[in-house]
Amino acid sequence: MGGCSSQSCHRCFFEYETERMIVVKSKVVGSVFRLIQFLILFYVIGYVCVVQKSYQETDSVISSVTTKVKGTGFTNTSDLGARVWDVADYNIPPQGESSFFVLTNMIVTPNQTQSTCPEVRIQTGLCMNYSETVKTCQVLSWCPLEIDINLPEHALLVAAEDFTVLIKNSVTYPKFNFHKRNILPDVNSSYLKQCEFNRKTDPDCPIFRLKDMVSEAEEDFQTMAIRGGVLGIMIDWNCDLDWPEHYCGPKYSFRRLDNKIPENNVAPGYNFRFAKYYKTTDGRETRTLIKAYGIRFDVIVFGTAGKFNMVPTIVNVGAALTFLSLVSSVKWSHLQNTHYL
């Protein structure tokens, strides 16, 4: 239709235009048209609605984690003698932010005092007799110095594989005012005293055996315990809140997080140093230095919750109708280009 002149703008304001409708009796054009419609509907219903659940409003999880390790072990070494290890000895530090450490191996340097002594490494300068054949530089330090190259070939605290950890995890989805714990409402204290996590028999038990977690990460506990490492405990709280609350629960998985690639084996494993201080009878300060090797367990909580909301539903239905309307435009352009009209 023609345009409006300046003199007749008031007429155009009250006019309404429609497009011409045409029916094309062609199996090719009709089949292509229906196929495109089907693909758009399949994408909107199958992927957007079912897979992506785009009809839902979503919220990210807020989480808090506390852990409690239990177990005892026994060692008998020349440096420490025969001794029993409990949680106060091997769980260092006793509390961490969503993580905990279990000592499995160590290098002990006992009876260190503040004095002068020969350096371990051979250097030039003021020399002292390090041995009968070797002289090294004199240093002012805690003596004798640590020799950290004689790491035991087998983990000292072999019993650590049977230690257990209780993981208490609380999550919140504030947008939906939803709160839940990984210790489910039907779990009581008597069950917690005897249960141990098992995917088939006890999937709701929050108590985990250390060896089982390392094994699920496809690692050998005793091998990992020699030089230590970092293991991730992943807790997945992805929830569809359109379903009843009991369908929303934690899903656990485990994987090693530190680098163990043989080609990049500089400073492998996980270790740190700490000391135990005491005084001799003559009042002299003395310490035992321990280079601790072990496994650090990081608890990583993630998840998203979704719930039906009219706004995203309308937006996605509108997008679907827009896609369908484009089919007619594409079909009309195709007809004109192929001279069907």
Side-chain angles (χ1 to χ4, degrees):
M1 298 184 64
C4 297
S5 64
S6 58
Q7 294 81 6
S8 59
C9 287
H10 65 283
R11 296 181 184 177
C12 296
F13 182 78
F14 295 102
E15 291 181 355
Y16 175 73
E17 297 181 355
T18 60
E19 295 183 358
R20 291 181 297 174
M21 300 295 294
I22 185 171
V23 177
V24 179
K25 295 182 179 181
S26 170
K27 292 183 178 180
V28 176
V29 175
S31 299
V32 172
F33 179 61
R34 299 305 178 192
L35 177 61
I36 296 175
Q37 282 185 321
F38 173 78
L39 292 175
I40 292 176
L41 289 175
F42 179 79
Y43 169 77
V44 172
I45 297 175
Y47 181 75
V48 176
C49 294
V50 177
V51 178
Q52 295 294 321
K53 297 181 180 178
S54 297
Y55 57 87
Q56 292 182 331
E57 184 181 15
T58 61
D59 193 15
S60 298
V61 69
I62 298 176
S63 168
S64 67
V65 175
T66 59
T67 61
K68 182 182 292 185
V69 183
K70 287 187 177 181
T72 57
F74 176 81
T75 61
N76 190 354
T77 65
S78 58
D79 295 321
L80 298 175
R83 64 172 296 174
V84 174
W85 295 75
D86 62 18
V87 66
D89 297 314
Y90 59 75
N91 188 204
I92 310 163
Q95 292 292 333
E97 185 177 350
S98 299
S99 66
F100 61 95
F101 173 82
V102 175
L103 183 147
T104 56
N105 207 1
M106 71 196 82
I107 296 175
V108 180
T109 308
N111 303 321
Q112 286 188 321
T113 58
Q114 289 277 340
S115 61
T116 59
C117 54
E119 170 64 85
V120 174
R121 298 165 195 83
I122 301 175
Q123 298 178 0
T124 60
L126 179 60
C127 294
M128 294 183 66
N129 290 326
Y130 177 74
S131 65
E132 294 181 357
T133 59
V134 177
K135 288 186 177 183
T136 63
C137 292
Q138 183 188 69
V139 293
L140 176 63
S141 181
W142 284 95
C143 299
L145 296 180
E146 176 191 64
I147 303 175
D148 62 353
I149 59 174
N150 298 324
L151 180 66
E153 295 181 358
H154 301 282
L156 293 179
L157 205 56
V158 294
E161 66 180 17
D162 292 320
F163 296 167
T164 59
V165 58
L166 168 64
I167 300 177
K168 294 187 288 185
N169 177 212
S170 299
V171 297
T172 300
Y173 288 107
K175 186 180 290 186
F176 307 121
N177 195 26
F178 180 87
H179 312 273
K180 199 165 185 179
R181 302 173 69 204
N182 68 325
I183 302 178
L184 302 181
D186 57 342
V187 173
N188 53 40
S189 57
S190 60
Y191 173 74
L192 285 180
K193 291 179 180 179
Q194 53 84 31
C195 80
E196 192 173 285
F197 176 81
N198 184 286
R199 293 198 181 277
K200 294 182 179 179
T201 59
D202 286 296
D204 296 328
C205 180
I207 298 177
F208 302 83
R209 184 169 172 252
L210 302 191
K211 182 180 180 180
D212 293 341
M213 292 191 292
V214 174
S215 297
E216 285 214 23
E218 299 181 350
E219 299 287 340
D220 177 70
F221 186 92
Q222 293 302 330
T223 301
M224 190 174 180
I226 297 174
R227 291 190 172 274
V230 182
L231 191 87
I233 303 172
M234 271 71 74
I235 307 180
D236 181 359
W237 280 95
N238 280 315
C239 296
D240 186 346
L241 299 184
D242 290 330
W243 295 88
E245 179 182 331
H246 68 269
Y247 286 103
C248 179
K251 299 179 181 63
Y252 302 99
S253 60
F254 313 92
R255 65 177 301 173
R256 186 167 182 173
L257 301 179
D258 63 310
N259 191 351
K260 63 162 191 172
I261 301 175
E263 293 77 12
N264 185 17
N265 60 355
V266 178
Y270 183 81
N271 66 78
F272 60 90
R273 291 174 176 84
F274 68 96
K276 295 185 177 181
Y277 296 86
Y278 55 95
K279 286 189 176 182
T280 61
T281 55
D282 59 356
R284 192 175 188 184
E285 187 180 28
T286 309
R287 77 177 189 181
T288 296
L289 177 66
I290 298 176
K291 184 176 182 180
Y293 294 81
I295 303 175
R296 193 186 77 194
F297 295 84
D298 292 344
V299 184
I300 303 170
V301 182
F302 60 94
T304 302
K307 195 171 186 179
F308 174 80
N309 187 279
M310 186 59 69
V311 174
T313 302
I314 293 175
V315 170
N316 285 283
V317 169
L321 295 176
T322 302
F323 285 146
L324 288 175
S325 65
L326 291 176
V327 178
S328 299
S329 300
V330 173
K331 179 191 70 173
W332 179 259
S333 175
H334 174 74
L335 289 174
Q336 288 180 321
N337 291 337
T338 51
H339 307 289
Y340 279 105
L341 294 179

